[in-house]
Amino acid sequence: MIFRTRFAPSPTGPLHLGHAYSAMVAYELAALHNGEFLLRIEDIDQGRARPKWEAQIFDDLKWLGLCWPEPVLRQSTRQEGYASALDALWQRDLLYPCVCTRRDIQAAASAPQEGAPLHGPDGLIYPGTCRARKGTSSDPTPRPHGQNLRLDMSDAAAVIYNRSEFWEGGTGPKGESGQITFAAEDLLRDVGDIVLARKDMATSYHLSVVLDDAAQGITDVVRGQDLFDATQIHVLLQRLLYLPTPRYHHHALIRDETGKRLAKRDDSRAISLYRSEGATPADIRRLVGLERLDWLG
Ligand code: GLU
């Protein structure tokens, strides 16, 4: 099977050094395996995505010397696929509507009897307030729209029969690599009932990324270590939706001098700014330490 990877930026800000590093690592890994490199625009958050950022991303990546097949996939064109996956999960009683605000969740999760609130890959772990709204297929109702829909993790995690795994070809934040195993109880404790359809976008990052990787035949996901903890969610969704699990290659994050990871709003690291100051693509490679590809193993 041909090695196929992708770089999947969200056009909600300028491409900065961290994104450039991620794109170049994916590109070079594909080249090393005689594979394919795809670009996917993750623009489900239409409130924040902007055509000007998308245009700048294309321009900066081309300037860095990357190329990819056209047309690129935009998540904003994939609503039908996301809706049918949600319908399937709804019909299996794995989703429930949630009306809690961030503040409700904060209050419930930090109630004195609950102990210190726990954080998962999506922030505070949901305390389960709306789980009682869950229907049953003996009383089928159509899937609600315009509301947050959460995954009932205790029923969902049952599909992995105790444990599941994925292959890590890079390293997780604690040096994890090789065969990574996780258990249903890890998902319950560390992830909880995550939102799979947000009321404002009718999907979520986790659902879209899993469906799009499968639709594009991605065999190898190359991305930053900040998404390592989300990978168990992605593998669970692949099991629930009968999709293949790609190999994963998480890479270290580019940090500033104080050790903080670069954020989208960190415009001082924008590639466009380096370009306007006369930097060359070779300068950018040096800045992110890409003379060394030793993490590839
Ligand atoms: N769109 C995500 C981001 O910009 C990347 C998702 C992924 O690589 O799985 O952080």
Side-chain angles (χ1 to χ4, degrees):
M1 202 196 309
I2 186 166
F3 180 107
R4 184 179 290 135
T5 191
R6 59 20 175 219
F7 175 57
S10 304
T12 55
L15 194 82
H16 63 51
L17 279 181
H19 302 118
Y21 177 68
S22 199
M24 290 190 287
V25 168
Y27 193 81
E28 300 203 357
L29 202 52
L32 204 68
H33 289 270
N34 273 326
E36 267 179 15
F37 168 86
L38 306 184
L39 179 63
R40 178 168 77 226
I41 296 295
E42 301 215 323
D43 58 352
I44 45 173
D45 190 347
Q46 285 285 302
R48 290 171 61 224
R50 297 281 177 275
K52 74 162 185 176
W53 296 129
E54 189 184 301
Q56 184 76 56
I57 289 170
F58 287 145
D59 196 57
D60 286 340
L61 291 174
K62 283 183 188 151
W63 176 79
L64 285 166
L66 275 52
C67 55
W68 52 86
E70 298 277 356
V72 302
L73 185 74
R74 284 183 183 75
Q75 290 191 322
S76 51
T77 65
R78 295 260 304 137
Q79 293 299 339
E80 258 173 57
Y82 306 148
S84 59
L86 288 167
D87 286 339
L89 296 174
W90 177 261
Q91 275 156 22
R92 286 156 65 191
D93 297 328
L94 290 170
L95 302 177
Y96 62 88
C98 175
V99 295
C100 293
T101 61
R102 217 179 276 261
R103 187 181 293 200
D104 296 333
I105 297 171
Q106 177 83 42
S110 50
Q113 68 276 18
E114 302 287 341
L118 288 174
H119 283 80
D122 281 356
L124 274 182
I125 293 182
Y126 184 60
T129 323
C130 284
R131 206 176 292 136
R133 294 169 183 268
K134 200 177 148 191
T136 62
S137 39
S138 56
D139 171 24
T141 51
R143 176 169 66 86
H145 291 84
Q147 288 192 49
N148 288 333
L149 295 181
R150 289 188 180 273
L151 182 68
D152 180 336
M153 188 56 88
S154 86
D155 282 356
V159 301
I160 67 171
Y161 304 107
N162 294 329
R163 48 192 61 250
S164 193
E165 65 281 312
F166 62 92
W167 178 259
E168 176 57 62
T171 46
K174 297 188 190 120
E176 302 91 332
S177 72
Q179 193 77 4
I180 308 291
T181 305
F182 59 93
E185 65 204 40
D186 300 332
L187 291 166
L188 286 168
R189 188 190 55 239
D190 303 335
V191 177
D193 292 1
I194 45 165
V195 171
L196 281 196
R198 275 174 49 177
K199 62 175 179 209
D200 54 340
M201 58 170 79
T203 181
S204 62
Y205 159 65
H206 300 303
L207 183 75
S208 314
V209 83
V210 157
L211 290 169
D212 293 344
D213 283 339
Q216 294 193 288
I218 300 299
T219 60
D220 292 81
V221 171
V222 181
R223 61 187 183 188
Q225 280 172 349
D226 52 329
L227 291 167
F228 179 82
D229 287 341
T231 308
Q232 54 187 339
I233 301 175
H234 300 168
V235 175
L236 174 69
L237 291 176
Q238 288 149 4
R239 297 288 179 278
L240 286 169
L241 297 165
Y242 312 108
L243 302 172
T245 293
R247 289 177 291 261
Y248 288 87
H249 308 261
H250 291 92
H251 59 70
L253 301 176
I254 300 291
R255 298 181 182 274
D256 66 15
E257 308 70 39
T258 66
K260 214 161 66 26
R261 65 177 270 229
L262 301 185
K264 278 236 169 71
R265 57 195 164 280
D266 194 350
D267 292 357
S268 63
R269 317 285 159 160
I271 299 300
S272 50
L273 191 69
Y274 287 103
R275 287 175 68 178
S276 69
E277 287 169 352
T280 64
D283 294 331
I284 302 292
R285 295 181 69 84
R286 253 191 312 279
L287 275 171
V288 297
L290 253 183
E291 304 93 313
R292 302 172 287 111
L293 276 182
D294 47 354
W295 73 273
L296 293 177

